[in-house]
Amino acid sequence: MAEVIHMRIGELSEKSGRTERTLRFYEELGLLVPASRTKGGFRLYDSGALIRIHWISRLQELGFSLPDIKEFLTELQGTPDGPAMMGDLRSAYAVKLAATRATIGRLRALEAELAASIDYLDTCKSCAPSTHKTACRACREDDHAEMEVPAMVLAVQTSSSIG
Amino acid sequence: MAEVIHMRIGELSEKSGRTERTLRFYEELGLLVPASRTKGGFRLYDSGALIRIHWISRLQELGFSLPDIKEFLTELQGTPDGPAMMGDLRSAYAVKLAATRATIGRLRALEAELAASIDYLDTCKSCAPSTHKTACRACREDDHAEMEVPAMVLAVQTSSSIG
DNA sequence: TATAACTCTCACGTTGACGTGAGGGTCAGA
DNA sequence: TCTGACCCTCACGTCAACGTGAGAGTTATA
């Protein structure tokens, strides 16, 4: 049996970068249970806790809410044999992989839109410096003339934005 | 002067896909002001509202909070001349472009991790169907043997997950 | 002029993910 | 044994982004 080092919540907080409140909160939700407690009630964690916390963060980045993760764990604990559990895990990950790819796609589209808006706005520098804001709506400067106004720029030039 | 069609909140709600509550909420925050009101107090919006709502959604997808967007608008309204305003817009967008690219990078890393985990879990199918969960921790099936256990799989096989 | 459909303004409720004390025990070293 | 650092359990607060009535007024149409 390997030597298992137990740490108290303060140390785990430092090592994991989470606040103590967060760690206790994870426990409330059933996501992170301390390996044991001292007789006085202090929580004692082993190094697996760090791995677990990392995992939780990953899933959060993937868009899982903490209740989602809890449900996830509960489900996995419900399956009786190993391969079945790994199968459940696999399918959950597969779903999230698809969602992640979709998100990446959306972000790439937004990236392109932002880049186009920036390109367009770059040409604004050549306007007369003190042109009033309302003028931008109908600006016909040479550089602009052929460019279509990006939607993300148009929206700002609309109605209530400009006095 | 072109004919401007005014719509009431119900119609705008339908066309934009937002609830009426959401539209009123946007107004509370100063993000979307109706073009006018009827004598009885009904909100009347013009088509610019749709553009504006779309813009808000875009910014939300980019990670702006509604208060962020409000601040954004206020700032833009503060600048007196057109080119300066466009410059402000440009720099705000530039910041978000960088952040978006960073997010895409993180998601791509997660994507790879998920894919690796799925690959690994695929090899679990070959285990004896009724192997108990705890066995997975020390599984030495042929297909696994050379593969390193991905962190996202390891975390699930740790301590409190398995009875 | 009814009446149905629509809209108005409060104002409290909800979910997620913690923050922030209050008041009081626990542990390790001198 | 004592003290300072650490930890405990309530339990209310917060921020974002709306949801959900309640009770009352407004409009378009028959």
Side-chain angles (χ1 to χ4, degrees):
Chain A
M1 313 226 176
E3 191 81 18
V4 178
I5 300 140
H6 288 290
M7 49 191 157
R8 297 190 306 192
I9 199 167
E11 194 178 342
L12 182 60
S13 168
E14 237 179 284
K15 287 189 178 169
S16 66
R18 320 277 133 181
T19 66
E20 300 182 7
R21 174 63 176 115
T22 296
L23 299 177
R24 294 196 193 98
F25 181 58
Y26 287 176
E27 187 178 349
E28 281 177 44
L29 297 184
L31 296 181
L32 180 72
V33 183
S36 60
R37 294 247 189 172
T38 67
K39 195 165 190 191
F42 286 22
R43 274 165 261 256
L44 293 177
Y45 300 92
D46 58 28
S47 57
L50 275 168
I51 298 179
R52 175 64 63 95
I53 293 166
H54 228 79
W55 180 69
I56 293 172
S57 308
R58 289 276 197 254
L59 293 184
Q60 279 188 297
E61 288 186 90
L62 287 171
F64 282 97
S65 71
L66 296 183
D68 281 347
I69 300 177
K70 178 192 181 166
E71 191 185 354
F72 198 176
L73 275 179
T74 312
E75 213 170 293
L76 291 177
Q77 277 163 9
T79 56
D81 68 297
M85 187 173 92
M86 294 298 115
D88 281 4
L89 192 58
R90 200 212 103 100
S91 56
Y93 280 178
V95 168
K96 271 303 165 181
L97 179 56
T100 302
R101 286 179 172 151
T103 301
I104 289 174
R106 279 209 318 282
L107 283 180
R108 290 179 80 72
L110 286 169
E111 181 193 1
E113 221 176 314
L114 273 179
S117 297
I118 290 176
D119 271 4
Y120 178 86
L121 290 169
D122 274 339
T123 65
C124 283
K125 287 178 186 162
S126 55
C127 283
S130 61
T131 308
H132 190 266
K133 285 179 285 183
T134 52
C136 284
R137 242 180 305 189
C139 180
R140 287 281 152 248
E141 278 290 313
D142 301 346
D143 322 34
H144 291 208
E146 309 130 24
M147 299 180 79
E148 214 189 319
V149 184
M152 296 200 61
V153 173
L154 229 186
V156 176
Q157 299 176 339
T158 303
S159 58
S160 38
S161 309
I162 299 181
Chain B
M1 312 230 176
E3 191 83 17
V4 178
I5 300 138
H6 288 291
M7 49 191 158
R8 299 190 305 193
I9 199 166
E11 193 179 344
L12 182 60
S13 168
E14 238 180 284
K15 287 190 178 168
S16 67
R18 318 279 134 181
T19 67
E20 300 182 6
R21 175 64 176 111
T22 296
L23 299 176
R24 294 196 193 97
F25 181 58
Y26 286 176
E27 186 178 351
E28 281 177 42
L29 296 184
L31 296 180
L32 180 72
V33 183
S36 61
R37 295 248 186 169
T38 67
K39 197 169 187 186
F42 285 22
R43 274 165 259 255
L44 294 176
Y45 300 92
D46 59 28
S47 58
L50 275 168
I51 298 178
R52 174 64 64 96
I53 293 167
H54 227 80
W55 180 68
I56 292 173
S57 307
R58 289 276 196 255
L59 293 183
Q60 278 188 297
E61 288 186 89
L62 287 171
F64 282 96
S65 72
L66 296 182
D68 280 349
I69 300 177
K70 179 194 181 165
E71 191 185 356
F72 197 176
L73 276 178
T74 311
E75 213 170 290
L76 291 177
Q77 277 162 8
T79 56
D81 67 297
M85 188 173 91
M86 295 298 116
D88 280 5
L89 192 58
R90 199 212 105 101
S91 55
Y93 281 179
V95 168
K96 272 303 165 183
L97 179 56
T100 302
R101 286 179 171 153
T103 301
I104 290 175
R106 280 208 318 281
L107 284 180
R108 290 181 78 72
L110 286 170
E111 182 194 0
E113 224 177 313
L114 274 179
S117 298
I118 289 176
D119 271 5
Y120 178 86
L121 290 170
D122 274 339
T123 65
C124 284
K125 287 177 187 161
S126 54
C127 282
S130 62
T131 307
H132 190 267
K133 286 181 285 183
T134 51
C136 284
R137 242 181 306 187
C139 180
R140 285 282 151 248
E141 279 290 313
D142 300 347
D143 322 35
H144 291 207
E146 308 131 23
M147 300 180 78
E148 215 189 319
V149 185
M152 295 200 61
V153 174
L154 228 186
V156 175
Q157 300 177 339
T158 303
S159 58
S160 37
S161 309
I162 300 181

